């Protein structure tokens, strides 16, 4: 590939836009297909950049990837805000992780020990310390710790910044779904869903359509991958903190009776409260039960959240994979994938975009990309 | 007053529209001032027509008024639906009243005895009976009874029907607030808030602006009334019942740990879940605490409501009065009031509109109007 490469990116979320920006800096001609750029899971997300508090046991590769991605964010955030000329709400404020009852605390302690074994700084907080650094936190929770390395970004401002940079640089935005992918020997043709216009030709295309990526993989004739991407529904609320109480000063996350809940305060008194993890397909109802649970759990941990003002209930579909690793790599000759980031799209995808861009342009790609190849889900492996 | 009277109605909610309809049937020339007809508390309401389950101890006059209003609804509902040519969701399905815990049940029993002493049919339900007539009701509530006389209407379709009838009949709708009321010897001039056009003259005007009526009373030079109308905020939710569970078959209302909650099922699987009673002025925030409480209480009583789909969170301001009676009667020479219906606007205002219309046109008005006169709150009485 050369820098004059014509590239199509299917999907205008965090994954697609971050990658488009990399292509742009190589001087490529970039087109982004999306009916609504900056919507989807990236828009609904809370924007936590939390390699530590998102880390699971027995997933060291993913934990490493998230840590690298988090370090990448440090300079990336400044670069994006600078290029766009707008703030993106990158806040290295740290995260308070809590366990509401003794069972939740037992889990928190096991998770903390795992993190400490990985070299992460986890500072247990006494009740007195909790009162001092986060007075809104209910004293009636079993325990809490502070993880200084977990940060946040305002995902909506981030998406807006990326879109602004791309628009100004002449990126083509095509407000349509892709209905057909025709892979030819030297190029790839994409047909718009509307069908009104002729297919457009590109030197290569990248599928970055989040939970909808599987339907695109299935359009590729010669592909034998079977990723079985799972849409994992997340219902989430956005509130404005009451002026008298204010918002928490840190991201607060943990479990109430084994049910995860988080509150992510923005600089402007907005607090994002979430989120469910539901394997219910593309179900677009906002279930009252999910909202009831989120509210009850959030209220248990930050009682003053009751005084806040609800302004949005929403949901998104995270692109889950069966091994929790993203799909980043080549699918076939001219088709690549940058998707499957599950809960970690905002955190991880700028970093994986950098790696994928280097792989595509044969520019010293990192060795770890072999772990994220979409071809690990080949049909013959499953059959 | 003659049938050629030019009348201004300030306020296009249930009270104003019902009254305008009466004037219309006399052949009057009617103008309705409202920035947005059919919005406000009438639109947010649940539409319960519940003279029994809304009755309080020690308010026999109001209880009588509600009963008369409920009987009036029987033929009125059919008339409105017929005139408008659309259904208005009048459902004489009865109400299940419950007490969630033993304290709530004790209150329910006292209230039931009061209703029985007034001649209302209140049928206590055994667990077996509850299972049969309302299987969605949690078995884990202390007790429930059935009140066959309490009905409901779809308040939004009702407002739409009234508006359609009035529009077709040549009523003038002026989409503005009133900023000045000038009472002259033979007529009254109203100035629009926009101020662009000249004041319009009417033979009489009726203030029917719900919780905002006080600001209009204050515009009247020669008035000495001091109603101290209190906006009583109500936060409310609208959901669609899950197909598998369905909606309840009856209005379900009662108290959970002394906190009132109701669920009003519509014919189309919509369920209205409400509502708070908050004396917080015109506070337009949707407090998370209120929503949390409504959800927790509704879930306690109808657990399957968890599976329903939230599509609206809303709030309204009921026009409360210090004696809980509406303000229906003459304010001064050419100015009348039809407001202050508090929680009972949908139920009561068609009936009080009939009475007020007869008082204005000296057409054998009912004697009870002396109880609702706005002049009961005269300044000299208070000073």
């Amino acid at each position: 590939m050369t820098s004059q490469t014509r590239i199509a990116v299917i999907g205008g979320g965090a994954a697609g836009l971050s990658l488009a920006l990399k292509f742009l800096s190589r001087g490529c001609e970039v087109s982004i297909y999306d009916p609504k750029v900056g919507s989807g899971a990236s828009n609904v997300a809370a924007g936590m950049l939390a390699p530590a508090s998102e880390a699971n046991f027995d997933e060291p590769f993913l934990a490493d990837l998230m840590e690298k991605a988090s370090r990448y964010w440090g300079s990336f955030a400044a670069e994006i805000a600078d290029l766009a000329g707008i703030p993106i709400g990158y806040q290295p404020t740290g995260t308070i992780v809590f366990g509401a009852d003794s069972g939740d605390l037992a889990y928190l302690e096991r998770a903390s020990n795992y993190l400490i074994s990985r070299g992460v700084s986890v500072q247990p907080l006494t009740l007195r310390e909790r009162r001092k650094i986060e007075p809104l936190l209910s004293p009636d929770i079993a325990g809490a710790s502070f993880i200084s390395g977990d940060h946040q970004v305002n995902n909506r401002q981030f998406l807006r910044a990326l879109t602004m940079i791309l628009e100004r640089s002449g990126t083509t935005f095509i407000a349509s779904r892709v209905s057909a992918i025709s892979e030819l020997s030297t190029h790839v043709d994409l047909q718009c869903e509307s069908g009104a216009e002729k297919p457009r030709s590109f030197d290569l295309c990248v599928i970055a359509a989040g939970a909808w990526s599987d339907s695109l993989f299935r359009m590729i004739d010669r592909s034998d991958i079977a990723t079985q991407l799972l849409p994992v529904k997340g219902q989430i609320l956005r509130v404005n903190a009451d002026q008298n109480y204010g918002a928490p000063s840190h991201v607060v996350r943990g479990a109430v009776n084994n049910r995860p809940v988080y509150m992510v305060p923005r600089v402007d008194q907005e607090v994002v409260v979430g989120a469910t993890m539901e394997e219910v397909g593309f179900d677009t109802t906002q279930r009252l039960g999910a909202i009831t649970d989120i509210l009850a759990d959030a209220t248990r941990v930050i009682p003053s959240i009751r005084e806040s003002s609800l302004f949005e209930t929403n949901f998104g579909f995270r692109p889950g994979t069966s091994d929790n690793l993203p799909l980043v790599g080549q699918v076939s000759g001219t088709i690549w994938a940058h998707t499957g980031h599950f809960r970690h799209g905002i955190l991880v995808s700028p970093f994986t975009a950098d790696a994928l861009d280097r792989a595509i342009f044969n520019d010293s790609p990192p060795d770890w990309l072999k772990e994220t190849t979409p071809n690990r889900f080949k049909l013959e492996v499953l059959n």
Side-chain angles (χ1 to χ4, degrees), chain A:
Chain A
M1 295 296 156
T2 70
S3 62
Q4 276 75 47
T5 309
R6 296 162 306 156
I7 306 183
V9 175
I10 309 177
L17 298 175
S18 301
L19 188 60
L21 192 65
K22 297 305 295 184
F23 296 151
L24 191 78
S25 66
R26 288 191 187 271
C28 300
E29 197 184 307
V30 181
S31 298
I32 297 175
Y33 284 79
D34 197 314
K36 198 172 173 199
V37 169
S39 63
S42 300
N43 179 57
V44 176
M48 284 179 288
L49 306 173
S53 52
E54 290 268 320
N56 285 332
F57 302 109
D58 301 326
E59 294 184 345
F61 176 80
L62 181 59
D64 287 346
L65 191 67
M66 290 198 289
E67 266 183 33
K68 287 178 192 137
S70 178
R71 284 196 291 274
Y72 187 83
W73 256 101
S75 56
F76 178 71
E79 182 194 331
I80 295 301
D82 190 51
L83 282 172
I86 60 168
I88 62 167
Y90 179 74
Q91 292 188 78
T93 48
T95 293
I96 292 176
V97 289
F98 68 85
D101 64 25
S102 56
D104 302 322
L105 183 60
Y107 180 83
L108 174 64
E109 282 168 356
R110 279 176 57 221
S112 295
N113 289 336
Y114 172 68
L115 291 174
I116 290 164
S117 78
R118 288 184 48 82
V120 175
S121 157
V122 181
Q123 180 195 338
L125 299 171
T126 63
L127 185 56
R128 181 179 295 228
E129 287 164 337
R130 278 147 53 189
R131 269 203 197 117
K132 191 167 172 189
I133 71 167
E134 197 59 80
L136 298 181
L137 199 65
S138 171
D140 185 28
I141 56 170
S145 297
F146 182 62
I147 299 179
S148 58
D150 278 2
H151 305 149
Q152 67 148 304
V153 67
N154 184 321
N155 49 304
R156 292 182 175 177
Q157 284 172 239
F158 169 54
L159 293 169
R160 191 165 148 252
L162 286 176
T163 307
M164 282 169 68
I165 298 167
L166 293 167
E167 276 175 347
R168 281 186 206 143
S169 314
T171 301
T172 305
F173 286 92
I174 301 164
S176 173
R177 286 193 175 79
V178 168
S179 63
I181 301 177
S182 304
E183 200 190 3
L184 304 159
S185 55
T186 56
H187 62 280
V188 56
D189 283 356
L190 299 186
Q191 176 70 54
C192 277
E193 195 176 52
S194 66
E197 46 183 316
K198 283 198 304 181
R200 300 187 198 208
S201 292
F202 300 93
D203 296 312
L204 65 94
C205 96
V206 183
I207 294 170
W212 290 270
S213 299
D214 250 6
S215 60
L216 292 155
F217 291 136
R218 274 185 235 112
M219 292 177 193
I220 307 166
D221 273 352
R222 289 181 293 172
S223 164
D224 55 2
I225 68 164
T227 61
Q228 297 181 291
L229 267 176
L230 184 73
V232 182
K233 185 178 169 188
Q235 297 187 65
I236 196 166
L237 309 169
R238 279 175 157 81
V239 305
N240 282 317
D242 180 77
Q243 283 190 328
N244 296 319
Y245 291 95
S249 314
H250 307 82
V251 173
V252 174
R253 65 184 300 173
V256 176
N257 199 5
N258 204 28
R259 204 160 49 194
V261 65
Y262 57 71
M263 277 155 281
V264 180
R266 304 284 192 227
V267 284
D268 57 359
Q269 298 293 297
E270 178 184 325
V271 184
V272 186
V273 188
T276 60
M277 297 262 287
E278 300 167 69
E279 300 187 0
V280 291
F282 288 104
D283 169 53
T284 58
T285 53
Q286 298 190 59
R287 297 274 170 187
L288 218 57
I291 297 167
T292 304
D293 292 345
I294 292 172
L295 289 178
D297 296 344
T299 302
R300 169 97 164 73
V301 179
I302 305 275
S304 65
I305 201 87
R306 284 178 61 88
E307 303 307 315
S308 67
S309 159
L310 178 68
F311 69 91
E312 184 180 319
T313 62
N314 214 331
F315 59 90
F317 298 102
R318 311 171 187 92
T321 60
S322 56
D323 60 4
N324 285 346
L325 293 185
L327 301 165
V328 182
Q330 192 162 24
V331 176
S332 67
T334 54
I335 302 172
W336 301 69
H338 190 222
T339 186
H341 292 89
F342 189 35
R343 299 166 58 93
H344 315 297
I346 304 290
L347 168 61
V348 169
S349 65
F351 177 68
T352 53
D354 180 75
L356 184 61
D357 166 71
R358 288 199 268 149
I360 290 171
F361 288 94
N362 223 341
D363 176 12
S364 55
D367 196 46
W368 57 256
L369 272 169
K370 67 179 186 296
E371 303 286 335
T372 64
T373 173
N375 291 311
R376 69 188 186 272
F377 297 110
K378 276 181 182 292
L379 275 175
E380 59 266 31
V381 175
L382 292 173
N383 290 341

